[in-house]
Amino acid sequence: MTKRALISGVLAAIGILCLSGLIVAQEITGSIVGSVTDSNGAAVPNATVTITLPSQGDRVVRTVTTTSEGNYSAPNLPVAVYKVTVEAPNFKKVVNSSVKVDVGQRRQLDVTLAAGQIDEVVTVNADSVVIEATTPTAGTTISGNQVRELSINNRNFVQLVTLAPGVTSNLSDQVYVGTSNPDGQANTVQISVNGARSSQNTFTVDGRTLQTAVRI
């Protein structure tokens, strides 16, 4: 092997490792987790949890089974509104409709089964507001409706950050992008999250870091 071929091979390997790191860093999905118990609070093992997409004719997206402790987990679910059906022998089937999953969310969905025939169905409308209790990470999801309908100058998405709790800023009515500042200066947006410095903010797109400072 020539020296040039060896160097090319090493560079290719480094490139693959870098790309794999970016793929791992991406967070574009959510998950549904929870437990299944009976009316007495006892765990129901081997219950079948079926997750379907009502928007696609109830297409089955994932089917999982509860553990011996009655727990289940369905990770890496695309952002969508799902229907979750839980069934087990000698229990009534429970159908949870309108289970919304956002990016990076661990949606907690605990289910209580009542004794009965499996062909008996109990339908539950999932809560629209869910308290995150499975992770210490705090986050805010800005919906597509908010992006489309809220009035923001220049359609600059950075202004939507101020909708999140704990965010303060000195954003003006006119937020410039890139080098569009009439004075020809760099455009620095001072946004503080829970008292942290604005230079500690990071913007990512599909898991890839754009900048570590809030400078757009």
Side-chain angles (χ1 to χ4, degrees):
M1 178 181 293
T2 65
K3 184 177 180 180
R4 178 175 294 181
L6 178 60
I7 293 174
S8 300
V10 172
L11 291 176
I14 293 174
I16 292 173
L17 289 175
C18 291
L19 289 175
S20 63
L22 291 176
I23 293 173
V24 171
Q26 291 182 354
E27 187 175 21
I28 58 175
T29 60
S31 59
I32 299 177
V33 300
S35 62
V36 179
T37 58
D38 61 18
S39 56
N40 295 320
V44 179
N46 300 317
T48 301
V49 181
T50 305
I51 301 172
T52 59
L53 266 176
S55 62
Q56 298 182 10
D58 283 341
R59 178 176 67 85
V60 176
V61 175
R62 192 77 50 79
T63 300
V64 297
T65 304
T66 57
T67 64
S68 57
E69 292 80 23
N71 300 319
Y72 72 92
S73 176
N76 302 321
L77 295 171
V79 174
V81 177
Y82 295 96
K83 181 165 69 177
V84 181
T85 302
V86 182
E87 50 191 322
N90 302 319
F91 289 99
K92 297 178 182 179
K93 181 190 300 183
V94 173
V95 178
N96 287 270
S97 60
S98 302
V99 180
K100 185 180 180 182
V101 176
D102 289 315
V103 172
Q105 182 184 25
R106 283 175 55 85
R107 179 65 188 267
Q108 183 77 27
L109 185 65
D110 297 327
V111 178
T112 300
L113 299 179
Q117 300 297 320
I118 199 170
D119 56 355
E120 298 179 83
V121 179
V122 178
T123 302
V124 180
N125 289 321
D127 295 332
S128 57
V129 178
V130 179
I131 298 175
E132 178 59 73
T134 61
T135 173
T137 302
T140 299
T141 299
I142 299 170
S143 69
N145 287 336
Q146 290 174 298
V147 175
R148 287 187 296 269
E149 297 176 8
L150 289 178
S151 176
I152 52 178
N153 285 326
N154 289 348
R155 303 307 301 163
N156 190 334
F157 72 93
V158 175
Q159 293 173 286
L160 296 172
V161 177
T162 58
L163 297 175
V167 174
T168 59
S169 73
N170 66 345
L171 291 177
S172 61
D173 291 336
Q174 187 78 7
V175 178
Y176 296 102
V177 179
T179 58
S180 61
N181 191 315
D183 298 328
Q185 300 175 352
N187 301 301
T188 302
V189 179
Q190 300 293 333
I191 297 176
S192 174
V193 180
N194 292 327
R197 293 174 181 241
S198 60
S199 59
Q200 294 178 295
N201 298 323
T202 300
F203 288 92
T204 62
V205 174
D206 290 342
R208 182 171 182 176
T209 301
L210 296 180
Q211 288 178 305
T212 54
V214 186
R215 186 179 292 274
I216 59 173

